[in-house]
Amino acid sequence: MLTSRDHDQPPPHTPFEDRPSLTVAALGALALVTVLALTGFFGPAEYGTDERTISVEAGDEFTLTVPARPWMGEHWYLAGEPDADVLGYRGTREETEGTDDDIAGGGDGTAYFDFTARAKGTTTVTLLHCPMARCSGVASAEATSPPVPTAATTDEPPDEPAYFRYEITVR
């Protein structure tokens, strides 16, 4: 039952109701973090096997990421250097997660091919996927018959060797 005293009490306040400037500051900080994350501020932009037409700004660093399963004899190779005036190749690295039994070489992971956009232009980066020890590099893949195909643009890495071609445009 309500008394006259209950009607005299103001409704409860929310923490930000009396401090609109805190609300604005919190929203501004959230927007800034979102923009920085989308622009690659927290690290180089990464592109997977499903993104093979890429546009970057001169000076940007970016990475092509591909699935790595070394325990299955799966390896990736840079099959041809891109135009050095347009892109600088910084190297390859691989990260794998161990298996439950911590078997050496076991587990899945990611291989990273790192680049720096140098100047305006367009160039092609070609990666060779060698699954299940079917090739040991570009030379052995080129010596196979029939020739190694180019993977379709939406394919996951196939069970046979395939080239993955990335068209990189530097603006």
Side-chain angles (χ1 to χ4, degrees):
M1 184 168 173
L2 294 176
T3 64
S4 63
R5 191 175 199 185
D6 292 332
H7 290 292
D8 294 339
Q9 298 294 322
H13 291 284
T14 61
F16 293 112
E17 192 173 73
D18 293 328
R19 298 183 184 114
S21 61
L22 285 178
T23 303
V24 171
L27 290 174
L30 179 61
L32 177 63
V33 168
T34 301
V35 167
L36 292 175
L38 292 174
T39 59
F41 182 79
F42 297 114
E46 295 184 355
Y47 302 94
T49 57
D50 59 337
E51 301 173 274
R52 294 200 228 144
T53 302
I54 300 167
S55 243
V56 294
E57 298 291 328
D60 285 356
E61 292 183 347
F62 67 95
T63 300
L64 302 180
T65 62
V66 293
R69 296 175 197 96
W71 62 276
M72 290 184 64
E74 177 181 59
H75 298 284
W76 291 83
Y77 303 94
L78 181 65
E81 294 281 332
D83 182 342
D85 291 334
V86 178
L87 284 184
Y89 175 57
R90 297 190 334 266
T92 303
R93 56 198 162 84
E94 193 172 271
E95 293 178 7
T96 56
E97 297 178 14
T99 62
D100 291 337
D101 299 329
D102 289 329
I103 298 170
D108 289 341
T110 305
Y112 302 89
F113 291 82
D114 300 320
F115 297 90
T116 300
R118 290 185 171 162
K120 288 183 179 184
T122 299
T123 189
T124 300
V125 172
T126 303
L127 302 182
L128 172 61
H129 174 241
C130 290
M132 297 177 264
R134 297 246 168 106
C135 53
S136 59
V138 176
S140 70
E142 289 175 349
T144 64
S145 182
V148 175
T150 298
T153 57
T154 57
D155 281 351
E156 285 293 313
D159 291 336
E160 297 293 328
Y163 289 108
F164 283 71
R165 289 194 169 85
Y166 296 80
E167 182 177 307
I168 315 293
T169 300
V170 178
R171 303 182 300 263

